[in-house]
Amino acid sequence: MTGIRSGDGQDAVRRDLVIGVDVGGTTVKAAVFDSDGLEYSSSKRLTPRHLGPDAVITTIIDAIVELRAQLPEAARVRAVGLVVPGLVDAEQGIAIYAANIGWQQLPLRRLVAEAVGLPVVLDHDVRAAGLAELELGSGRDFQEVLFVALGTGVAAAVITRGQVFAGATGRAGELGHLPVFPEGEWCACGQRGCTETYASASALSRRYSAASGISDVSAQDVISRAVDGDPTAEGIFAEAVAALGRALVSYVLLMDPELIIIGGGMAASGEALLYPLNREVQAGLVWRPAPPISNGKFTGDAGRRGAGLLAWRALQEPGL
Ligand SMILES: [Zn+2]
């Protein structure tokens, strides 16, 4: 149970709602939630990032306006939770930087709040997804969790003592940029051998294409081909598992989690990924047991669910 309830029964829950919006590099996903996390309606549209930040903001506003317009008259949207990738100053409501969308130092919370006439809370997409899994999904009843989003990039939400941890400057959880192979391939971030360079969905696809000459093979297909015995796919997938395994071994040694949750698009590969990954992490930990690694409950919907939770949380704070 999260969020506010006015105490006068089910009707009040149905009247009071929030909208959660998850802005990704590919899609903008939005949904209406009540205080129990029940989803009433949802929408998904492409992120027009090639048209620039203004077009992306317009898409966010359109998504909110459209969902609100579809609700019955008695329903009242109380707030909007908005989560975005990259660097976010949640306190100031600023989207500081996102390489895959192209905005910099954007006062996104204010811009959206003014346009839709609702209080808006802004936060980081992967931390919000981790929060959704912690409160409503696979991480329920756990206190020490690592949520890993494997998608276009690799990022994580560090959860300790039942709270999502952002770090001193909001940069905690950059599992994708742990340099796991010191002499490895260059990463777009400027370092060498980052986890993301080997283990993200785009890395699997790109590396398979470079090695085989076959383009447009998705990460999921690379994993399927590896399972089917394609030696090139096997090699690429084994390196991805090794890179991710090393990063997770480091995290386990440092933070001693009870559970590691895999989310993001690559979670769709299920046991084909989880089985070798569990084995890799167990093999990498010599003197201590490995925590279980399992899939999240919400997969691609975790971000907007977390955004909804953040909106309810913000409503409980004075001053919004
Ligand atoms: Zn990097």
Side-chain angles (χ1 to χ4, degrees):
M1 176 79 62
T2 55
I4 51 171
R5 302 191 69 136
S6 53
D8 53 350
Q10 197 65 20
D11 287 340
V13 175
R14 292 213 180 100
R15 278 202 302 273
D16 281 350
L17 301 163
V18 297
I19 295 177
V21 186
D22 179 10
V23 182
T26 312
T27 54
V28 174
K29 296 176 186 169
V32 178
F33 299 101
D34 73 4
S35 59
D36 288 334
L38 192 68
E39 188 178 299
Y40 281 79
S41 53
S42 64
S43 72
K44 187 173 166 180
R45 53 190 79 204
L46 290 174
T47 308
R49 57 178 175 161
H50 57 286
L51 299 176
D54 285 348
V56 178
I57 298 168
T58 303
T59 301
I60 295 167
I61 293 165
D62 288 350
I64 297 165
V65 168
E66 183 195 271
L67 282 176
R68 208 176 174 192
Q70 290 167 354
L71 289 169
E73 214 164 286
R76 187 164 70 115
V77 175
R78 300 275 315 273
V80 172
L82 176 60
V83 300
V84 299
L87 279 174
V88 182
D89 184 336
E91 211 159 292
Q92 300 297 321
I94 310 266
I96 298 173
Y97 175 73
N100 59 358
I101 296 183
W103 53 41
Q104 285 191 40
Q105 296 293 340
L106 192 71
L108 193 57
R109 182 175 66 194
R110 181 176 59 77
L111 293 172
V112 175
E114 284 175 1
V116 300
L118 287 167
V120 174
V121 56
L122 180 74
D123 216 310
H124 183 256
D125 57 351
V126 176
R127 283 197 280 277
L131 178 72
E133 291 291 351
L134 178 74
E135 300 262 329
L136 305 168
S138 308
R140 281 177 85 157
D141 307 321
F142 291 89
Q143 293 284 307
E144 304 295 328
V145 179
L146 182 70
F147 171 79
V148 184
L150 293 179
T152 315
V154 175
V158 172
I159 294 159
T160 183
R161 298 182 179 179
Q163 302 286 328
V164 182
F165 177 76
T169 63
R171 290 172 170 85
E174 291 291 354
L175 195 81
H177 299 287
L178 283 191
V180 288
F181 297 139
E183 302 300 317
E185 291 179 16
W186 289 98
C187 177
C189 78
Q191 298 178 166
R192 286 185 82 163
C194 291
T195 313
E196 185 169 295
T197 315
Y198 296 87
S200 68
S202 42
L204 276 170
S205 186
R206 170 180 50 77
R207 299 187 81 233
Y208 182 76
S209 169
S212 68
I214 307 167
S215 55
D216 292 330
V217 180
S218 71
Q220 217 172 321
D221 285 343
V222 174
I223 296 174
S224 297
R225 286 177 189 216
V227 171
D228 291 343
D230 171 341
T232 308
E234 277 178 342
I236 301 291
F237 182 47
E239 280 185 311
V241 170
L244 192 55
R246 281 193 183 195
L248 294 180
V249 162
S250 298
Y251 185 85
V252 171
L253 290 168
L254 201 61
M255 295 296 285
D256 190 21
E258 304 166 87
L259 174 68
I260 296 171
I261 300 174
I262 303 294
M266 274 172 68
S269 289
E271 280 303 311
L273 172 64
L274 291 175
Y275 179 75
L277 188 58
N278 269 293
R279 210 177 42 185
E280 185 81 14
V281 173
Q282 280 161 10
L285 292 165
V286 176
W287 54 265
R288 60 151 294 159
I293 306 172
S294 58
N295 263 2
K297 180 179 174 185
F298 300 123
T299 60
D301 291 340
R304 64 183 172 194
R305 280 188 174 277
L309 284 172
L310 289 165
W312 283 115
R313 277 193 178 183
L315 284 169
Q316 289 173 308
E317 288 165 10
L320 188 84

